[in-house]
Amino acid sequence: MLNVHNLSVSFSGEYLFEEIAFRLNAGDRVGLIGKNGAGKSTLLKLLAKDMAPDSGTIASDKEISIGFLRQDIEFEEGNTVLEEAYKAFEELQTLERKLAHVNEQLAERTDYESDAYHQLMVDLNDHTHHYEVLGGYNYQGETEKILIGLGFKRDDFQKKTDIFSGGWRMRIELAKLLLQKNDILLLDEPTNHLDIESIIWLEQFLTGFPGAIVIVSHDKMFLDNVTNRTIEISLGRIYDYNKPYSAFLVLRQEIKEQQLNAQKNQDREIQQAERLITKFRAKASKASMAQSLIKKLDRMERIEVDETDNSVLKIQFPVSITPGKVVAEIEGLSKNYGSKEVLKNINLLLERDSKTAFVGQNGQGKTTLAKVIVGELEYEGHLKLGHNVQIGYFAQNQAEYLDGTKTVLDTMIDAANESNRRKVRDILGSFLFSGEDVEKYVKVLSGGERNRLALAKMLLQPFNVLVMDEPTNHLDIASKNVLKQALQNFEGTLIVVSHDRDFLQGLTNKVYEFKDKKIKEYLGDINYFLDQRKAEDFREIEKKSAIQVQKALLKKNDNQYYDQKKEKGLKNKLSNLESEIAAMEKEISDIDHELLMNYDTTIAQPNFFNTYQEKKRKLESLMKKWEKLTIELEK
């Protein structure tokens, strides 16, 4: 389908990758992995032809279609969710406009016998047939099913996209992409804004996708469940194996060990040959043998061991001052967004040094309660923070608050104070911003690099309570592990909102599950919570609740969908029937005209009256069918 040959890209004289090559075939589901800034998003942009390489080629089959889910998307303001999703069907919408115009003309005109009127009937028939072939009577139902699969409710369909957050807009863009029937899908961090239920749905969709897929993701479970091939970008090279992520890591390690062993054996062989060369050179009788060994060494292809990028974050979250024993006390807390009630009569006691996880589906109030605790939202009820409590807050979209026109260094200096300004470069170095990296503008950073900068910026403010909402979004897998280690070592109080079981394991000692406007406490770690829920992981829990919700939704949606489909079908039949009636009326009108002008010649035709009466009977039958369909449609 698509062939990449000797592709190279550089920035500021340094190669992101150099002369890489691979081929995409139908059925390939590739996990594109690597550290933040390695060039993953850049490679997707090259494949999508959003940018050109410094050298190399990307060749593809003719008429191949590529869909690209970007991290940064733009929306036309004023559209509803459905209107935006329907943009995936531009050809069908053009046909709908043509059909509407033809039907409007047919309703207004009375020149039933004219050639122009007859041409309108032909156009109606042609457009209707083309519309049906392209799936025009199914696309609306298909769009609604995919939107519901991605977490939208039917009530959301007529809401303007302007009111939705970036995460929900990303879901709309993903829905459009999945509806377009592209040959190749390029997905840049598709799970960042999805809850577990929607991730499960997306996994099932992608597993059955017949084309090729390239996915940039830092969700290990998602990669293992979806991909059948892994390409890693590391230090300007790629490593390509037909294995999902976890199996790829094992295979890469085995290959590296084999390379190391082979290199050791070769080094011993080289050392032995060099000793013999030194020994034989001094003797005239052995000089030819020495020259032979020298030539052998020159021809020998030296075994190289794959380089590994061992650069890692160095994070430490220091505690500012020791707070009181009770960090926060919540009684009877409720929160509404207009008429929508999210939390109702919540009671919660947070003690010093506790490590707490907020878990549950999107929209259940986890982020809302986190924002209430840090003072970003108003609420009803009682919330009291303890003595000397200083809160550090990492929001789900923290990186979006960074100023793209500033450099990395300026961002930190502007956030620093007199006491820690001299530490700015050291902190940036710990977060892998060194040398010329600190002079980069924020707008050119990758999503993971922005998250790292946002984390670094946090360290410039004093805190003893840390509230983190989905802190692992955009972070590469190695950085996630380092962040987890830093939070385990944090000696203050921690609240973390996450869907990532692997990240939460061993991190917290208390879990609050958010569901149906309430919270439920589990006095143990995430494994204890999962054991209590009798499930191996979040996905099983979400599947159980998703199945119940989906059954109710499907029953409701199917009824509405089939009602709509039946109505479309009736309209289609009625339209075709009206075309037949108009054509039959024209035939009878033409015969009546011939009778009037050439009566004797016309009736002399064989079986004239039988044919004439048969056409009238057929017209009468068509009119009865039309009347019956019209009544059924009105009902």
Side-chain angles (χ1 to χ4, degrees):
M1 298 181 79
L2 188 144
N3 192 41
V4 174
H5 182 66
N6 289 345
L7 207 65
S8 299
V9 170
S10 63
F11 288 104
S12 303
E14 291 188 14
Y15 279 102
L16 266 182
F17 38 80
E18 186 175 10
E19 294 190 349
I20 64 172
F22 60 92
R23 179 175 175 80
L24 281 181
N25 301 303
D28 283 346
R29 296 191 296 277
V30 180
L32 184 60
I33 65 170
K35 293 202 168 185
N36 295 138
K40 303 183 296 295
S41 295
T42 298
L43 183 53
L44 289 190
K45 289 174 183 175
L46 290 167
L47 296 178
K49 296 183 172 57
D50 278 9
M51 63 181 288
D54 294 343
S55 62
T57 59
I58 301 175
S60 62
D61 297 342
K62 288 183 179 179
E63 297 181 359
I64 201 165
S65 60
I66 298 176
F68 184 19
L69 180 71
R70 298 166 176 82
Q71 284 189 19
D72 301 315
I73 55 175
E74 294 181 3
F75 269 88
E76 180 184 333
E77 292 187 2
N79 285 335
T80 65
V81 171
L82 270 184
E83 286 169 346
E84 189 64 37
Y86 286 160
K87 284 186 177 180
F89 303 98
E90 290 182 6
E91 189 175 0
L92 280 171
Q93 291 191 309
T94 300
L95 277 172
E96 283 182 338
R97 289 191 288 272
K98 288 180 178 179
L99 282 167
H101 177 71
V102 170
N103 282 316
E104 188 179 318
Q105 291 289 305
L106 289 172
E108 291 175 356
R109 297 176 67 151
T110 57
D111 55 335
Y112 307 121
E113 298 176 13
S114 69
D115 289 340
Y117 193 87
H118 179 66
Q119 185 58 46
L120 284 173
M121 300 304 301
V122 172
D123 291 345
L124 179 66
N125 191 54
D126 289 347
H127 293 335
T128 301
H129 177 69
H130 191 196
Y131 187 76
E132 190 172 351
V133 167
L134 291 176
Y137 298 112
N138 301 321
Y139 85 89
Q140 292 178 335
E142 190 178 352
T143 301
E144 292 179 12
K145 282 185 177 179
I146 282 184
L147 286 172
I148 288 169
L150 288 171
F152 286 93
K153 295 181 173 61
R154 190 167 289 277
D155 295 344
D156 296 327
F157 291 171
Q158 298 306 324
K159 293 177 182 175
K160 302 291 185 184
T161 58
D162 312 35
I163 69 169
F164 287 92
S165 66
W168 284 99
R169 290 188 179 194
M170 184 69 79
R171 294 188 194 206
I172 300 171
E173 194 67 17
L174 181 56
K176 285 161 60 177
L177 203 63
L178 300 182
L179 288 163
Q180 285 170 353
K181 314 293 187 202
N182 291 293
D183 301 299
I184 298 175
L185 290 180
L186 308 175
L187 307 177
D188 197 354
E189 297 283 8
T191 64
N192 265 2
H193 301 286
L194 301 183
D195 57 28
I196 299 299
E197 183 181 329
S198 298
I199 291 173
I200 293 167
W201 181 91
L202 181 60
E203 284 177 357
Q204 293 168 343
F205 184 97
L206 295 178
T207 303
F209 181 73
I213 308 171
V214 183
I215 305 167
V216 172
S217 178
H218 301 127
D219 184 330
K220 291 189 286 187
M221 190 176 289
F222 179 73
L223 289 173
D224 280 339
N225 288 345
V226 173
T227 63
N228 55 20
R229 179 179 168 189
T230 301
I231 296 177
E232 180 185 19
I233 303 177
S234 177
L235 300 173
R237 298 180 59 188
I238 66 166
Y239 301 92
D240 184 0
Y241 297 103
N242 290 321
K243 298 283 184 183
Y245 177 75
S246 294
F248 162 82
L249 289 183
V250 173
L251 184 59
R252 273 273 276 137
Q253 186 59 33
E254 289 175 356
I255 290 171
K256 189 173 180 181
E257 287 173 3
Q258 290 169 4
Q259 289 173 338
L260 280 168
N261 291 331
Q263 189 184 59
K264 286 177 183 177
N265 291 333
Q266 189 182 62
D267 287 345
R268 281 196 295 268
E269 186 181 341
I270 291 169
Q271 289 168 9
Q272 176 66 16
E274 287 174 342
R275 280 196 298 270
L276 290 173
I277 289 167
T278 303
K279 182 178 179 181
F280 293 156
R281 265 180 176 164
K283 298 179 181 179
S285 60
K286 301 288 186 178
S288 61
M289 188 178 292
Q291 287 301 316
S292 177
L293 286 170
I294 290 170
K295 288 178 181 178
K296 181 183 177 183
L297 286 182
D298 289 341
R299 290 194 303 269
M300 184 180 290
E301 188 174 336
R302 303 301 169 104
I303 295 170
E304 293 183 359
V305 177
D306 293 340
E307 288 185 78
T308 303
D309 188 349
N310 292 315
S311 57
V312 293
L313 300 179
K314 298 181 181 68
I315 307 177
Q316 184 178 4
F317 295 110
V319 174
S320 53
I321 54 175
T322 303
K325 185 177 181 181
V326 175
V327 167
E329 186 177 3
I330 296 172
E331 292 181 357
L333 187 143
S334 299
K335 175 61 184 174
N336 300 329
Y337 292 99
S339 60
K340 184 180 180 182
E341 189 174 40
V342 179
L343 297 171
K344 184 177 181 180
N345 199 29
I346 300 296
N347 297 308
L348 177 65
L349 183 69
L350 288 173
E351 296 182 329
R352 183 180 61 215
D353 301 339
S354 61
K355 302 286 192 292
T356 304
F358 286 177
V359 302
Q361 292 177 308
N362 280 1
Q364 295 294 327
K366 305 184 300 297
T367 295
T368 295
L369 187 57
K371 286 184 175 181
V372 165
I373 291 171
V374 302
E376 283 201 0
L377 287 177
E378 295 181 356
Y379 56 91
E380 295 176 4
H382 176 75
L383 166 63
K384 182 182 178 182
L385 295 181
H387 178 63
N388 281 340
V389 166
Q390 296 177 328
I391 298 179
Y393 178 45
F394 186 90
Q396 192 172 136
N397 57 343
Q398 188 76 37
E400 295 177 15
Y401 294 114
L402 299 174
D403 186 346
T405 63
K406 290 183 180 179
T407 65
V408 170
L409 183 60
D410 287 342
T411 298
M412 291 289 286
I413 289 174
D414 290 348
N417 54 42
E418 290 299 325
S419 64
N420 58 26
R421 189 165 286 124
R422 67 182 185 279
K423 298 179 182 177
V424 161
R425 285 186 178 271
D426 291 338
I427 294 172
L428 284 174
S430 297
F431 283 81
L432 304 183
F433 293 107
S434 57
E436 295 180 359
D437 292 338
V438 300
E439 300 301 334
K440 285 182 180 178
Y441 284 98
V442 171
K443 62 186 175 185
V444 305
L445 300 180
S446 69
E449 288 171 324
R450 291 184 192 186
N451 253 30
R452 291 210 313 259
L453 180 57
L455 282 169
K457 190 178 171 185
M458 279 186 64
L459 297 186
L460 297 172
Q461 306 301 322
F463 55 81
N464 47 34
V465 176
L466 190 48
V467 179
M468 307 199 85
D469 190 358
E470 298 290 358
T472 60
N473 280 356
H474 297 293
L475 287 183
D476 61 58
I477 293 166
S479 297
K480 281 167 64 171
N481 292 337
V482 172
L483 174 61
K484 177 178 175 177
Q485 184 68 48
L487 293 176
Q488 286 173 325
N489 295 334
F490 178 54
E491 295 179 356
T493 306
L494 174 67
I495 299 172
V496 59
V497 180
S498 180
H499 291 117
D500 191 332
R501 175 199 174 182
D502 182 65
F503 182 71
L504 289 176
Q505 269 184 330
L507 181 59
T508 63
N509 51 33
K510 186 184 294 185
V511 175
Y512 284 99
E513 182 184 19
F514 286 64
K515 189 176 181 182
D516 299 329
K517 306 170 190 174
K518 300 287 186 180
I519 62 173
K520 184 176 180 181
E521 184 182 56
Y522 292 83
L523 296 173
D525 65 4
I526 200 68
N527 289 332
Y528 172 78
F529 162 71
L530 294 170
D531 183 60
Q532 291 296 300
R533 291 297 305 264
K534 294 181 172 59
E536 289 185 5
D537 54 35
F538 286 163
R539 292 164 184 259
E540 277 196 29
I541 294 171
E542 300 298 350
K543 275 181 181 175
K544 288 175 183 177
S545 58
I547 287 169
Q548 295 170 352
V549 172
Q550 206 65 16
K551 279 181 179 177
L553 272 174
L554 283 174
K555 187 174 181 182
K556 179 183 176 184
N557 292 339
D558 284 347
N559 290 339
Q560 293 176 338
Y561 171 65
Y562 286 118
D563 283 347
Q564 291 170 352
K565 192 173 180 181
K566 185 178 179 182
E567 182 181 349
K568 287 280 185 184
L570 287 173
K571 285 181 177 179
N572 185 30
K573 286 180 182 178
L574 197 63
S575 179
N576 290 335
L577 201 55
E578 286 172 348
S579 298
E580 285 188 64
I581 289 170
M584 188 58 64
E585 284 177 337
K586 190 172 189 309
E587 285 183 34
I588 293 171
S589 175
D590 289 343
I591 294 171
D592 289 340
H593 182 71
E594 284 297 319
L595 280 172
L596 184 64
M597 302 301 294
N598 303 293
Y599 179 78
D600 292 334
T601 306
T602 304
I603 64 172
Q605 294 174 8
N607 297 320
F608 168 74
F609 284 108
N610 288 338
T611 304
Y612 185 45
Q613 292 302 320
E614 181 60 32
K615 288 184 184 294
K616 286 192 170 184
R617 282 194 293 272
K618 188 174 181 181
L619 178 60
E620 188 179 349
S621 173
L622 289 172
M623 291 301 294
K624 285 181 179 177
K625 285 183 181 177
W626 180 86
E627 185 179 358
K628 184 178 177 182
L629 276 175
T630 303
I631 292 169
E632 193 173 350
L633 189 59
E634 286 174 354
K635 286 180 181 179

